Amino acid sequence: MNAKELPLDLEAGIATLKRERNAVVLAHYYQDSEIQDVADFIGDSLQLAQEAAKTTADVICFAGVHFMAETAKILNPGRIVVLPDLDAGCSLADGCPIDRFRAWKARYPGAIVVSYVNCTAEVKAESDVIVTSSNAEKIVRALPTDRPILFAPDKNLGRHVAKQTGRDLILWQGSCIVHETFSERKLVGLLARHPGAKVIAHPECEPAVLAHAHFIGSTTALLKFAIASTDKTFIVATEPGILHQMTKAAPEKEFIPAPPEGNCACNECPHMKRNTLEKLYLCLRDLSPRLEMRADLIEAARKPIEKMLAMS
Ligand code: 13P
Ligand code: SF4
């Protein structure tokens, strides 16, 4: 053990703790590659929620951001849910505080409220149905046509779903600090240098970037598309953590991260990147930090999540 009482071989230490705690590690694709490599399951938001719903582990270690771990807790109130860093948030969730959300909802009595899973449990509790980027289109298509539909908090995903479904959606004006940074100008320059490349993009990107995309989908959909495609070069407009699984699954292909406008690393999600392998080891060892929630909030937020799982 070193000074911080961490084993030198963190991976081996994590494997031992997983056995001792009967723990499952769920990781999102935006996690560092070393975290993805110790996970029992890697997926997009929908798959991670589905996996959390069916786990029999005593402890769920959620390597992702707060709203994702919260969803796992809502589906598993009796299990211990830990996450490496409790402060791993999300700009979409932060940009939709419950008091403003309630005031917005109140302006549209009788509307159906659809919320993207990237929101707080309080917002979920006051929504009719939750969606993720992989099922939003399907769920919106299935909604009744005689009532207005509110969609929060991501305006870019909402606009994309409205376009795909032909439904009128009233949009909350939120966006993701990561996906709004991709530069259309630099993307066009990259396409000129790689004429055969396919642009694959997450629907949280701005419309100007989505307009250049050959394929738009959730993180898992982007991965599946890249693996199945006969093309060899892909410009990937989402958080570059996903490139780890892309290059593992298709090492013969080239994956180029779409660049941000500035000379910065702002295409990396600062929230996701708060998690480290060390913190993951410590949260399994100490069973802390833990996700704790009020029983009434769990109860209220579970209904629209279960509706989503049933409609997916
Ligand atoms: P996915 O559901 O596509 O994994 O997206 C999650 C997310 O936070 C995108 O920024
Ligand atoms: Fe939230 Fe954007 Fe990070 Fe996804 S990439 S967790 S939407 S801040």
Side-chain angles (χ1 to χ4, degrees), residues 28-30 43-48 65 67-68 90 92 116-118 132-134 176 178-179 202-204 217-222 238-239 269 272:
H28 190 265
Y29 294 114
Y30 297 167
D44 67 10
S45 308
L46 177 63
Q47 292 175 310
L48 291 168
V65 291
F67 77 81
M68 296 179 175
C90 169
L92 279 167
Y116 186 30
V117 70
N118 298 38
T132 75
S133 54
S134 62
C176 160
V178 175
H179 288 84
H202 196 278
E204 286 177 16
S218 76
T219 48
T220 294
L222 299 182
T238 193
E239 216 274 0
C269 176
M272 289 277 183

PDB file of all heavy atoms in Angstrom, residues 28-30 43-48 65 67-68 90 92 116-118 132-134 176 178-179 202-204 217-222 238-239 269 272, ligand 1:
ATOM      1  N   HIS A  28     -20.452   4.497 -17.989  1.00  0.00           N
ATOM      2  CA  HIS A  28     -20.859   5.142 -19.240  1.00  0.00           C
ATOM      3  C   HIS A  28     -19.640   5.255 -20.166  1.00  0.00           C
ATOM      4  O   HIS A  28     -18.497   5.287 -19.703  1.00  0.00           O
ATOM      5  CB  HIS A  28     -21.447   6.539 -18.950  1.00  0.00           C
ATOM      6  CG  HIS A  28     -22.084   7.151 -20.149  1.00  0.00           C
ATOM      7  ND1 HIS A  28     -21.412   8.017 -20.985  1.00  0.00           N
ATOM      8  CD2 HIS A  28     -23.318   6.987 -20.683  1.00  0.00           C
ATOM      9  CE1 HIS A  28     -22.230   8.372 -21.975  1.00  0.00           C
ATOM     10  NE2 HIS A  28     -23.386   7.760 -21.823  1.00  0.00           N
ATOM     11  N   TYR A  29     -19.912   5.332 -21.473  1.00  0.00           N
ATOM     12  CA  TYR A  29     -18.845   5.411 -22.475  1.00  0.00           C
ATOM     13  C   TYR A  29     -17.958   6.648 -22.332  1.00  0.00           C
ATOM     14  O   TYR A  29     -16.886   6.705 -22.925  1.00  0.00           O
ATOM     15  CB  TYR A  29     -19.444   5.464 -23.882  1.00  0.00           C
ATOM     16  CG  TYR A  29     -20.172   4.228 -24.322  1.00  0.00           C
ATOM     17  CD1 TYR A  29     -21.541   4.255 -24.539  1.00  0.00           C
ATOM     18  CD2 TYR A  29     -19.489   3.034 -24.545  1.00  0.00           C
ATOM     19  CE1 TYR A  29     -22.219   3.130 -24.977  1.00  0.00           C
ATOM     20  CE2 TYR A  29     -20.157   1.905 -24.981  1.00  0.00           C
ATOM     21  CZ  TYR A  29     -21.526   1.965 -25.191  1.00  0.00           C
ATOM     22  OH  TYR A  29     -22.181   0.849 -25.625  1.00  0.00           O
ATOM     23  N   TYR A  30     -18.418   7.673 -21.621  1.00  0.00           N
ATOM     24  CA  TYR A  30     -17.615   8.891 -21.497  1.00  0.00           C
ATOM     25  C   TYR A  30     -16.595   8.801 -20.362  1.00  0.00           C
ATOM     26  O   TYR A  30     -15.861   9.763 -20.109  1.00  0.00           O
ATOM     27  CB  TYR A  30     -18.508  10.112 -21.249  1.00  0.00           C
ATOM     28  CG  TYR A  30     -19.485  10.462 -22.358  1.00  0.00           C
ATOM     29  CD1 TYR A  30     -20.517  11.370 -22.127  1.00  0.00           C
ATOM     30  CD2 TYR A  30     -19.366   9.932 -23.633  1.00  0.00           C
ATOM     31  CE1 TYR A  30     -21.413  11.718 -23.119  1.00  0.00           C
ATOM     32  CE2 TYR A  30     -20.265  10.274 -24.634  1.00  0.00           C
ATOM     33  CZ  TYR A  30     -21.290  11.168 -24.368  1.00  0.00           C
ATOM     34  OH  TYR A  30     -22.183  11.517 -25.341  1.00  0.00           O
ATOM     35  N   GLY A  43     -22.430   1.116 -21.194  1.00  0.00           N
ATOM     36  CA  GLY A  43     -23.570   1.338 -22.074  1.00  0.00           C
ATOM     37  C   GLY A  43     -23.976   2.791 -22.152  1.00  0.00           C
ATOM     38  O   GLY A  43     -23.365   3.662 -21.527  1.00  0.00           O
ATOM     39  N   ASP A  44     -25.039   3.034 -22.933  1.00  0.00           N
ATOM     40  CA  ASP A  44     -25.618   4.379 -22.983  1.00  0.00           C
ATOM     41  C   ASP A  44     -26.595   4.524 -21.805  1.00  0.00           C
ATOM     42  O   ASP A  44     -26.804   3.576 -21.031  1.00  0.00           O
ATOM     43  CB  ASP A  44     -26.250   4.674 -24.354  1.00  0.00           C
ATOM     44  CG  ASP A  44     -27.485   3.837 -24.664  1.00  0.00           C
ATOM     45  OD1 ASP A  44     -27.998   3.135 -23.769  1.00  0.00           O
ATOM     46  OD2 ASP A  44     -27.957   3.883 -25.823  1.00  0.00           O
ATOM     47  N   SER A  45     -27.214   5.682 -21.682  1.00  0.00           N
ATOM     48  CA  SER A  45     -28.063   5.939 -20.508  1.00  0.00           C
ATOM     49  C   SER A  45     -29.190   4.926 -20.391  1.00  0.00           C
ATOM     50  O   SER A  45     -29.503   4.472 -19.284  1.00  0.00           O
ATOM     51  CB  SER A  45     -28.681   7.327 -20.596  1.00  0.00           C
ATOM     52  OG  SER A  45     -27.705   8.282 -20.815  1.00  0.00           O
ATOM     53  N   LEU A  46     -29.802   4.568 -21.508  1.00  0.00           N
ATOM     54  CA  LEU A  46     -30.922   3.622 -21.450  1.00  0.00           C
ATOM     55  C   LEU A  46     -30.428   2.248 -21.003  1.00  0.00           C
ATOM     56  O   LEU A  46     -30.997   1.634 -20.099  1.00  0.00           O
ATOM     57  CB  LEU A  46     -31.616   3.517 -22.815  1.00  0.00           C
ATOM     58  CG  LEU A  46     -32.756   2.485 -22.857  1.00  0.00           C
ATOM     59  CD1 LEU A  46     -33.879   2.882 -21.900  1.00  0.00           C
ATOM     60  CD2 LEU A  46     -33.309   2.306 -24.263  1.00  0.00           C
ATOM     61  N   GLN A  47     -29.369   1.771 -21.610  1.00  0.00           N
ATOM     62  CA  GLN A  47     -28.853   0.443 -21.254  1.00  0.00           C
ATOM     63  C   GLN A  47     -28.407   0.393 -19.797  1.00  0.00           C
ATOM     64  O   GLN A  47     -28.599  -0.618 -19.123  1.00  0.00           O
ATOM     65  CB  GLN A  47     -27.667   0.085 -22.148  1.00  0.00           C
ATOM     66  CG  GLN A  47     -28.063  -0.136 -23.595  1.00  0.00           C
ATOM     67  CD  GLN A  47     -26.831  -0.362 -24.449  1.00  0.00           C
ATOM     68  OE1 GLN A  47     -25.875   0.404 -24.395  1.00  0.00           O
ATOM     69  NE2 GLN A  47     -26.840  -1.429 -25.210  1.00  0.00           N
ATOM     70  N   LEU A  48     -27.817   1.487 -19.317  1.00  0.00           N
ATOM     71  CA  LEU A  48     -27.363   1.501 -17.925  1.00  0.00           C
ATOM     72  C   LEU A  48     -28.568   1.463 -16.981  1.00  0.00           C
ATOM     73  O   LEU A  48     -28.542   0.771 -15.958  1.00  0.00           O
ATOM     74  CB  LEU A  48     -26.493   2.735 -17.662  1.00  0.00           C
ATOM     75  CG  LEU A  48     -25.125   2.714 -18.368  1.00  0.00           C
ATOM     76  CD1 LEU A  48     -24.449   4.080 -18.302  1.00  0.00           C
ATOM     77  CD2 LEU A  48     -24.204   1.652 -17.762  1.00  0.00           C
ATOM     78  N   VAL A  65     -22.419  10.033 -14.246  1.00  0.00           N
ATOM     79  CA  VAL A  65     -22.722  11.278 -13.540  1.00  0.00           C
ATOM     80  C   VAL A  65     -23.924  11.096 -12.615  1.00  0.00           C
ATOM     81  O   VAL A  65     -24.597  10.064 -12.634  1.00  0.00           O
ATOM     82  CB  VAL A  65     -22.922  12.457 -14.528  1.00  0.00           C
ATOM     83  CG1 VAL A  65     -21.600  12.830 -15.184  1.00  0.00           C
ATOM     84  CG2 VAL A  65     -23.968  12.143 -15.572  1.00  0.00           C
ATOM     85  N   PHE A  67     -27.042  12.167 -12.239  1.00  0.00           N
ATOM     86  CA  PHE A  67     -28.421  11.801 -12.613  1.00  0.00           C
ATOM     87  C   PHE A  67     -28.508  10.322 -12.991  1.00  0.00           C
ATOM     88  O   PHE A  67     -29.564   9.700 -12.844  1.00  0.00           O
ATOM     89  CB  PHE A  67     -28.970  12.717 -13.727  1.00  0.00           C
ATOM     90  CG  PHE A  67     -28.455  12.415 -15.108  1.00  0.00           C
ATOM     91  CD1 PHE A  67     -29.001  11.393 -15.874  1.00  0.00           C
ATOM     92  CD2 PHE A  67     -27.426  13.160 -15.663  1.00  0.00           C
ATOM     93  CE1 PHE A  67     -28.525  11.113 -17.151  1.00  0.00           C
ATOM     94  CE2 PHE A  67     -26.944  12.895 -16.926  1.00  0.00           C
ATOM     95  CZ  PHE A  67     -27.491  11.862 -17.674  1.00  0.00           C
ATOM     96  N   MET A  68     -27.423   9.749 -13.491  1.00  0.00           N
ATOM     97  CA  MET A  68     -27.423   8.331 -13.883  1.00  0.00           C
ATOM     98  C   MET A  68     -27.443   7.441 -12.630  1.00  0.00           C
ATOM     99  O   MET A  68     -28.186   6.460 -12.563  1.00  0.00           O
ATOM    100  CB  MET A  68     -26.193   8.012 -14.733  1.00  0.00           C
ATOM    101  CG  MET A  68     -26.159   8.746 -16.056  1.00  0.00           C
ATOM    102  SD  MET A  68     -24.659   8.354 -16.988  1.00  0.00           S
ATOM    103  CE  MET A  68     -25.004   9.234 -18.508  1.00  0.00           C
ATOM    104  N   CYS A  90     -24.126  17.488 -14.354  1.00  0.00           N
ATOM    105  CA  CYS A  90     -24.423  17.545 -15.789  1.00  0.00           C
ATOM    106  C   CYS A  90     -25.000  18.921 -16.067  1.00  0.00           C
ATOM    107  O   CYS A  90     -25.896  19.377 -15.344  1.00  0.00           O
ATOM    108  CB  CYS A  90     -25.435  16.456 -16.151  1.00  0.00           C
ATOM    109  SG  CYS A  90     -26.113  16.626 -17.819  1.00  0.00           S
ATOM    110  N   LEU A  92     -26.943  19.912 -18.313  1.00  0.00           N
ATOM    111  CA  LEU A  92     -28.376  19.892 -18.656  1.00  0.00           C
ATOM    112  C   LEU A  92     -29.226  19.833 -17.388  1.00  0.00           C
ATOM    113  O   LEU A  92     -30.229  20.549 -17.268  1.00  0.00           O
ATOM    114  CB  LEU A  92     -28.684  18.696 -19.556  1.00  0.00           C
ATOM    115  CG  LEU A  92     -28.344  18.898 -21.030  1.00  0.00           C
ATOM    116  CD1 LEU A  92     -28.371  17.574 -21.776  1.00  0.00           C
ATOM    117  CD2 LEU A  92     -29.304  19.889 -21.674  1.00  0.00           C
ATOM    118  N   TYR A 116     -35.975  14.473 -20.755  1.00  0.00           N
ATOM    119  CA  TYR A 116     -34.750  13.723 -21.067  1.00  0.00           C
ATOM    120  C   TYR A 116     -34.163  13.264 -19.730  1.00  0.00           C
ATOM    121  O   TYR A 116     -34.197  14.013 -18.744  1.00  0.00           O
ATOM    122  CB  TYR A 116     -33.808  14.688 -21.797  1.00  0.00           C
ATOM    123  CG  TYR A 116     -32.538  14.133 -22.361  1.00  0.00           C
ATOM    124  CD1 TYR A 116     -32.420  12.826 -22.801  1.00  0.00           C
ATOM    125  CD2 TYR A 116     -31.406  14.964 -22.491  1.00  0.00           C
ATOM    126  CE1 TYR A 116     -31.229  12.354 -23.343  1.00  0.00           C
ATOM    127  CE2 TYR A 116     -30.224  14.503 -23.039  1.00  0.00           C
ATOM    128  CZ  TYR A 116     -30.138  13.182 -23.448  1.00  0.00           C
ATOM    129  OH  TYR A 116     -28.969  12.729 -23.979  1.00  0.00           O
ATOM    130  N   VAL A 117     -33.617  12.055 -19.707  1.00  0.00           N
ATOM    131  CA  VAL A 117     -33.106  11.473 -18.454  1.00  0.00           C
ATOM    132  C   VAL A 117     -32.029  12.353 -17.806  1.00  0.00           C
ATOM    133  O   VAL A 117     -31.807  12.267 -16.593  1.00  0.00           O
ATOM    134  CB  VAL A 117     -32.616  10.032 -18.726  1.00  0.00           C
ATOM    135  CG1 VAL A 117     -31.348  10.033 -19.582  1.00  0.00           C
ATOM    136  CG2 VAL A 117     -32.427   9.219 -17.468  1.00  0.00           C
ATOM    137  N   ASN A 118     -31.382  13.228 -18.581  1.00  0.00           N
ATOM    138  CA  ASN A 118     -30.362  14.141 -18.040  1.00  0.00           C
ATOM    139  C   ASN A 118     -31.038  15.280 -17.282  1.00  0.00           C
ATOM    140  O   ASN A 118     -31.026  16.440 -17.700  1.00  0.00           O
ATOM    141  CB  ASN A 118     -29.515  14.741 -19.171  1.00  0.00           C
ATOM    142  CG  ASN A 118     -28.737  13.712 -19.954  1.00  0.00           C
ATOM    143  OD1 ASN A 118     -29.226  12.620 -20.198  1.00  0.00           O
ATOM    144  ND2 ASN A 118     -27.531  14.057 -20.367  1.00  0.00           N
ATOM    145  N   THR A 132     -34.532   8.796 -23.226  1.00  0.00           N
ATOM    146  CA  THR A 132     -33.083   8.950 -23.409  1.00  0.00           C
ATOM    147  C   THR A 132     -32.882   9.247 -24.895  1.00  0.00           C
ATOM    148  O   THR A 132     -33.843   9.195 -25.686  1.00  0.00           O
ATOM    149  CB  THR A 132     -32.297   7.684 -23.022  1.00  0.00           C
ATOM    150  OG1 THR A 132     -32.484   6.714 -24.041  1.00  0.00           O
ATOM    151  CG2 THR A 132     -32.728   7.132 -21.673  1.00  0.00           C
ATOM    152  N   SER A 133     -31.632   9.446 -25.271  1.00  0.00           N
ATOM    153  CA  SER A 133     -31.385   9.756 -26.685  1.00  0.00           C
ATOM    154  C   SER A 133     -31.685   8.548 -27.573  1.00  0.00           C
ATOM    155  O   SER A 133     -31.866   8.696 -28.766  1.00  0.00           O
ATOM    156  CB  SER A 133     -29.948  10.228 -26.889  1.00  0.00           C
ATOM    157  OG  SER A 133     -29.063   9.269 -26.367  1.00  0.00           O
ATOM    158  N   SER A 134     -31.743   7.344 -26.989  1.00  0.00           N
ATOM    159  CA  SER A 134     -31.999   6.182 -27.852  1.00  0.00           C
ATOM    160  C   SER A 134     -33.483   5.828 -27.984  1.00  0.00           C
ATOM    161  O   SER A 134     -33.835   5.071 -28.875  1.00  0.00           O
ATOM    162  CB  SER A 134     -31.176   4.970 -27.397  1.00  0.00           C
ATOM    163  OG  SER A 134     -31.533   4.609 -26.109  1.00  0.00           O
ATOM    164  N   CYS A 176     -26.099  21.049 -23.706  1.00  0.00           N
ATOM    165  CA  CYS A 176     -24.954  20.410 -23.062  1.00  0.00           C
ATOM    166  C   CYS A 176     -23.698  21.217 -23.354  1.00  0.00           C
ATOM    167  O   CYS A 176     -23.403  21.489 -24.522  1.00  0.00           O
ATOM    168  CB  CYS A 176     -24.829  18.979 -23.585  1.00  0.00           C
ATOM    169  SG  CYS A 176     -23.194  18.298 -23.344  1.00  0.00           S
ATOM    170  N   VAL A 178     -20.771  20.356 -23.459  1.00  0.00           N
ATOM    171  CA  VAL A 178     -19.791  19.609 -24.260  1.00  0.00           C
ATOM    172  C   VAL A 178     -20.225  19.606 -25.729  1.00  0.00           C
ATOM    173  O   VAL A 178     -19.461  19.994 -26.622  1.00  0.00           O
ATOM    174  CB  VAL A 178     -19.673  18.157 -23.735  1.00  0.00           C
ATOM    175  CG1 VAL A 178     -18.753  17.336 -24.629  1.00  0.00           C
ATOM    176  CG2 VAL A 178     -19.199  18.152 -22.288  1.00  0.00           C
ATOM    177  N   HIS A 179     -21.458  19.212 -25.970  1.00  0.00           N
ATOM    178  CA  HIS A 179     -21.914  19.049 -27.360  1.00  0.00           C
ATOM    179  C   HIS A 179     -22.117  20.366 -28.094  1.00  0.00           C
ATOM    180  O   HIS A 179     -22.135  20.390 -29.317  1.00  0.00           O
ATOM    181  CB  HIS A 179     -23.174  18.184 -27.397  1.00  0.00           C
ATOM    182  CG  HIS A 179     -22.882  16.737 -27.094  1.00  0.00           C
ATOM    183  ND1 HIS A 179     -22.789  16.276 -25.804  1.00  0.00           N
ATOM    184  CD2 HIS A 179     -22.617  15.694 -27.900  1.00  0.00           C
ATOM    185  CE1 HIS A 179     -22.491  14.978 -25.832  1.00  0.00           C
ATOM    186  NE2 HIS A 179     -22.385  14.606 -27.096  1.00  0.00           N
ATOM    187  N   HIS A 202     -23.956  12.809 -31.905  1.00  0.00           N
ATOM    188  CA  HIS A 202     -24.973  12.648 -30.862  1.00  0.00           C
ATOM    189  C   HIS A 202     -26.024  13.747 -31.052  1.00  0.00           C
ATOM    190  O   HIS A 202     -25.672  14.891 -31.400  1.00  0.00           O
ATOM    191  CB  HIS A 202     -24.306  12.768 -29.482  1.00  0.00           C
ATOM    192  CG  HIS A 202     -25.162  12.262 -28.369  1.00  0.00           C
ATOM    193  ND1 HIS A 202     -26.156  13.029 -27.801  1.00  0.00           N
ATOM    194  CD2 HIS A 202     -25.205  11.060 -27.745  1.00  0.00           C
ATOM    195  CE1 HIS A 202     -26.756  12.313 -26.847  1.00  0.00           C
ATOM    196  NE2 HIS A 202     -26.197  11.110 -26.794  1.00  0.00           N
ATOM    197  N   PRO A 203     -27.311  13.439 -30.805  1.00  0.00           N
ATOM    198  CA  PRO A 203     -28.347  14.463 -31.027  1.00  0.00           C
ATOM    199  C   PRO A 203     -28.275  15.673 -30.100  1.00  0.00           C
ATOM    200  O   PRO A 203     -28.994  16.647 -30.320  1.00  0.00           O
ATOM    201  CB  PRO A 203     -29.665  13.696 -30.824  1.00  0.00           C
ATOM    202  CG  PRO A 203     -29.298  12.460 -30.081  1.00  0.00           C
ATOM    203  CD  PRO A 203     -27.885  12.141 -30.449  1.00  0.00           C
ATOM    204  N   GLU A 204     -27.390  15.654 -29.102  1.00  0.00           N
ATOM    205  CA  GLU A 204     -27.209  16.854 -28.266  1.00  0.00           C
ATOM    206  C   GLU A 204     -26.394  17.929 -28.987  1.00  0.00           C
ATOM    207  O   GLU A 204     -26.272  19.052 -28.493  1.00  0.00           O
ATOM    208  CB  GLU A 204     -26.496  16.494 -26.957  1.00  0.00           C
ATOM    209  CG  GLU A 204     -27.380  15.764 -25.971  1.00  0.00           C
ATOM    210  CD  GLU A 204     -26.627  15.353 -24.714  1.00  0.00           C
ATOM    211  OE1 GLU A 204     -25.536  15.880 -24.464  1.00  0.00           O
ATOM    212  OE2 GLU A 204     -27.141  14.497 -23.984  1.00  0.00           O
ATOM    213  N   GLY A 217     -27.243   9.481 -33.446  1.00  0.00           N
ATOM    214  CA  GLY A 217     -27.790   8.500 -32.501  1.00  0.00           C
ATOM    215  C   GLY A 217     -27.161   8.600 -31.128  1.00  0.00           C
ATOM    216  O   GLY A 217     -26.227   9.386 -30.898  1.00  0.00           O
ATOM    217  N   SER A 218     -27.685   7.790 -30.213  1.00  0.00           N
ATOM    218  CA  SER A 218     -27.148   7.719 -28.846  1.00  0.00           C
ATOM    219  C   SER A 218     -25.727   7.167 -28.908  1.00  0.00           C
ATOM    220  O   SER A 218     -25.282   6.679 -29.959  1.00  0.00           O
ATOM    221  CB  SER A 218     -28.015   6.782 -28.001  1.00  0.00           C
ATOM    222  OG  SER A 218     -27.728   5.431 -28.328  1.00  0.00           O
ATOM    223  N   THR A 219     -25.033   7.183 -27.787  1.00  0.00           N
ATOM    224  CA  THR A 219     -23.649   6.687 -27.786  1.00  0.00           C
ATOM    225  C   THR A 219     -23.593   5.235 -28.279  1.00  0.00           C
ATOM    226  O   THR A 219     -22.750   4.904 -29.110  1.00  0.00           O
ATOM    227  CB  THR A 219     -23.024   6.824 -26.384  1.00  0.00           C
ATOM    228  OG1 THR A 219     -23.921   6.307 -25.414  1.00  0.00           O
ATOM    229  CG2 THR A 219     -22.698   8.267 -26.067  1.00  0.00           C
ATOM    230  N   THR A 220     -24.498   4.391 -27.788  1.00  0.00           N
ATOM    231  CA  THR A 220     -24.491   2.989 -28.230  1.00  0.00           C
ATOM    232  C   THR A 220     -24.816   2.887 -29.718  1.00  0.00           C
ATOM    233  O   THR A 220     -24.206   2.098 -30.445  1.00  0.00           O
ATOM    234  CB  THR A 220     -25.509   2.157 -27.416  1.00  0.00           C
ATOM    235  OG1 THR A 220     -25.054   2.117 -26.067  1.00  0.00           O
ATOM    236  CG2 THR A 220     -25.632   0.738 -27.931  1.00  0.00           C
ATOM    237  N   ALA A 221     -25.753   3.692 -30.180  1.00  0.00           N
ATOM    238  CA  ALA A 221     -26.122   3.659 -31.606  1.00  0.00           C
ATOM    239  C   ALA A 221     -24.930   4.081 -32.470  1.00  0.00           C
ATOM    240  O   ALA A 221     -24.687   3.500 -33.535  1.00  0.00           O
ATOM    241  CB  ALA A 221     -27.332   4.559 -31.862  1.00  0.00           C
ATOM    242  N   LEU A 222     -24.165   5.081 -32.013  1.00  0.00           N
ATOM    243  CA  LEU A 222     -22.983   5.526 -32.774  1.00  0.00           C
ATOM    244  C   LEU A 222     -21.953   4.402 -32.835  1.00  0.00           C
ATOM    245  O   LEU A 222     -21.366   4.135 -33.889  1.00  0.00           O
ATOM    246  CB  LEU A 222     -22.354   6.767 -32.128  1.00  0.00           C
ATOM    247  CG  LEU A 222     -23.213   8.031 -32.038  1.00  0.00           C
ATOM    248  CD1 LEU A 222     -22.403   9.169 -31.407  1.00  0.00           C
ATOM    249  CD2 LEU A 222     -23.735   8.455 -33.400  1.00  0.00           C
ATOM    250  N   THR A 238     -19.169  13.539 -30.504  1.00  0.00           N
ATOM    251  CA  THR A 238     -19.678  13.360 -29.142  1.00  0.00           C
ATOM    252  C   THR A 238     -18.461  13.302 -28.241  1.00  0.00           C
ATOM    253  O   THR A 238     -17.321  13.457 -28.704  1.00  0.00           O
ATOM    254  CB  THR A 238     -20.583  12.117 -29.008  1.00  0.00           C
ATOM    255  OG1 THR A 238     -21.268  12.178 -27.745  1.00  0.00           O
ATOM    256  CG2 THR A 238     -19.811  10.802 -29.067  1.00  0.00           C
ATOM    257  N   GLU A 239     -18.675  13.085 -26.941  1.00  0.00           N
ATOM    258  CA  GLU A 239     -17.545  13.065 -26.001  1.00  0.00           C
ATOM    259  C   GLU A 239     -16.557  11.972 -26.426  1.00  0.00           C
ATOM    260  O   GLU A 239     -16.969  10.835 -26.715  1.00  0.00           O
ATOM    261  CB  GLU A 239     -18.104  12.789 -24.595  1.00  0.00           C
ATOM    262  CG  GLU A 239     -17.406  13.508 -23.490  1.00  0.00           C
ATOM    263  CD  GLU A 239     -16.190  12.800 -22.941  1.00  0.00           C
ATOM    264  OE1 GLU A 239     -15.860  11.704 -23.436  1.00  0.00           O
ATOM    265  OE2 GLU A 239     -15.569  13.340 -22.021  1.00  0.00           O
ATOM    266  N   CYS A 269     -16.172  15.842 -21.250  1.00  0.00           N
ATOM    267  CA  CYS A 269     -17.150  16.225 -20.223  1.00  0.00           C
ATOM    268  C   CYS A 269     -16.440  16.352 -18.874  1.00  0.00           C
ATOM    269  O   CYS A 269     -15.951  15.364 -18.325  1.00  0.00           O
ATOM    270  CB  CYS A 269     -18.269  15.192 -20.137  1.00  0.00           C
ATOM    271  SG  CYS A 269     -19.422  15.581 -18.795  1.00  0.00           S
ATOM    272  N   MET A 272     -18.049  14.003 -16.149  1.00  0.00           N
ATOM    273  CA  MET A 272     -17.698  12.584 -16.280  1.00  0.00           C
ATOM    274  C   MET A 272     -16.249  12.365 -15.851  1.00  0.00           C
ATOM    275  O   MET A 272     -15.915  11.357 -15.234  1.00  0.00           O
ATOM    276  CB  MET A 272     -17.851  12.134 -17.737  1.00  0.00           C
ATOM    277  CG  MET A 272     -19.296  12.033 -18.189  1.00  0.00           C
ATOM    278  SD  MET A 272     -19.963  10.438 -17.663  1.00  0.00           S
ATOM    279  CE  MET A 272     -21.612  10.519 -18.365  1.00  0.00           C
TER     280      MET A 272
HETATM  281  P1  13P B   1     -26.372   8.562 -24.145  1.00  0.00           P
HETATM  282  O1  13P B   1     -27.686   8.209 -23.539  1.00  0.00           O
HETATM  283  O2  13P B   1     -26.412   8.593 -25.628  1.00  0.00           O
HETATM  284  O3  13P B   1     -25.307   7.651 -23.623  1.00  0.00           O
HETATM  285  O4  13P B   1     -25.999  10.054 -23.739  1.00  0.00           O
HETATM  286  C1  13P B   1     -25.744  10.443 -22.438  1.00  0.00           C
HETATM  287  C2  13P B   1     -25.180  11.776 -22.336  1.00  0.00           C
HETATM  288  O5  13P B   1     -25.020  12.337 -21.282  1.00  0.00           O
HETATM  289  C3  13P B   1     -24.814  12.438 -23.572  1.00  0.00           C
HETATM  290  O6  13P B   1     -24.142  13.595 -23.295  1.00  0.00           O
END
